[in-house]
Amino acid sequence: STFQGLLDMRRAAEAFVPPAKVTLQVQCGHVFFELTCALEASGSIHTSPVESVRTSPNMPARASLTYGSHMGSEFASPMQSRKLMLPEGLIFVVADDDEIPRIMSEELIDAAKGHTFLSAVLGENRNEVRSLPAYVAKLAESQGDQKVVVLLDENLEYEGGSLKGTDVCRTLREDFSFRGLIFIQSCDDDAEDQQKYIAAGADACLSKGLKSLAAKLRKMTITYHEKFSPQLTWSGEPLWSR
């Protein structure tokens, strides 16, 4: 069914002038087809059925539009149809008890063009995790909450005792009033687990089933803009075409 879906999408793409581009992404729990096309129109740009963006009268509009189609239990949100990007220079603070995810987190920070000097990948020992809330609060005070992104492994196992990412999340929200992005990273990512993470104050679950950097960055980008820029206004050209 996946190959048939890809074939159908490619046939649809060939009907566009110029032909559209089709990409296939295999993510945790679903397959995502993405079709990107160039569209010129006068008066308005429509990304129906998701939304439309009005231009000024008699102004020709040009945009790169992306349409998504899922095969699976999850569906694309309106934000997923936009070509948004994470702001450069974000400060990432990561906690994981496993060395391999810590190495991958460093690659993620590089790929996101994060602030390499202030960002921190912690979790080699229990004390590093316990010191994380105070460090995040200090960063938020000096740089602003919106500049700081926290990624917490849910199950942090150490000889001195285990820690939960959700407990660290609650500490950040309740004791330090942190308002920046918090992701819980876990393989336990079903609907019930995700509700538990949200209830603890996390913005989203970054599933460890997302193997590619592109998939992780996509999820982080969507969550970032849904939190900090849910209303995108017309300013001469669509934000997602920049």
Side-chain angles (χ1 to χ4, degrees):
S1 60
T2 300
F3 287 112
Q4 183 61 50
L6 180 59
L7 179 61
D8 291 342
M9 290 290 285
R10 292 186 64 180
R11 286 173 176 169
E14 291 172 357
F16 287 85
V17 180
K21 177 183 178 182
V22 177
T23 57
L24 168 65
Q25 297 184 33
V26 180
Q27 300 182 6
C28 186
H30 65 272
V31 175
F32 179 75
F33 298 104
E34 185 177 82
L35 186 151
T36 304
C37 64
L39 177 65
E40 290 192 28
S42 295
S44 64
I45 300 174
H46 295 283
T47 57
S48 178
V50 176
E51 61 189 307
S52 65
V53 178
R54 294 288 176 181
T55 69
S56 60
N58 303 318
M59 178 183 294
R62 182 186 298 270
S64 175
L65 305 179
T66 301
Y67 297 83
S69 174
H70 273 82
M71 296 182 64
S73 60
E74 300 180 24
F75 294 88
S77 69
M79 281 294 179
Q80 282 180 303
S81 68
R82 298 174 174 178
K83 289 187 173 180
L84 298 174
M85 297 180 66
L86 283 172
E88 294 184 15
L90 292 177
I91 303 166
F92 293 84
V93 182
V94 185
D96 202 298
D97 61 339
D98 194 327
E99 183 179 4
I100 299 301
R102 290 199 299 271
I103 294 173
M104 293 176 64
S105 295
E106 292 175 353
E107 295 176 352
L108 179 65
I109 294 170
D110 289 339
K113 298 182 180 178
H115 196 301
T116 55
F117 180 72
L118 293 177
S119 294
V121 179
L122 310 173
E124 188 173 349
N125 57 65
R126 193 169 184 267
N127 288 335
E128 284 190 350
V129 179
R130 291 174 65 88
S131 68
L132 182 146
Y135 181 64
V136 169
K138 183 178 180 181
L139 288 172
E141 182 179 2
S142 62
Q143 306 295 322
D145 293 74
Q146 194 168 329
K147 289 281 291 182
V148 184
V149 179
V150 180
L151 289 78
L152 302 168
D153 181 19
E154 171 60 358
N155 298 299
L156 298 154
E157 305 290 341
Y158 300 102
E159 291 184 1
S162 62
L163 297 170
K164 290 288 187 181
T166 43
D167 291 336
V168 179
C169 181
R170 288 191 188 92
T171 298
L172 283 166
R173 296 300 194 203
E174 297 173 7
D175 296 349
F176 292 91
S177 301
F178 176 64
R179 298 185 302 275
L181 273 183
I182 300 179
F183 292 92
I184 296 294
Q185 297 196 99
S186 178
C187 290
D188 300 323
D189 58 358
D190 61 25
E192 184 177 349
D193 288 316
Q194 294 193 44
Q195 284 300 316
K196 178 180 69 175
Y197 305 148
I198 298 299
D203 293 286
C205 171
L206 196 61
S207 173
K208 288 192 173 181
L210 298 176
K211 300 299 184 182
S212 72
L213 285 176
K216 292 180 180 179
L217 287 172
R218 183 182 183 85
K219 178 63 178 289
M220 293 170 67
T221 301
I222 292 168
T223 306
Y224 180 92
H225 287 285
E226 285 179 339
K227 184 180 182 75
F228 296 120
S229 55
Q231 301 298 326
L232 299 179
T233 58
W234 176 258
S235 60
E237 63 175 298
L239 175 63
W240 59 91
S241 70
R242 294 175 184 170

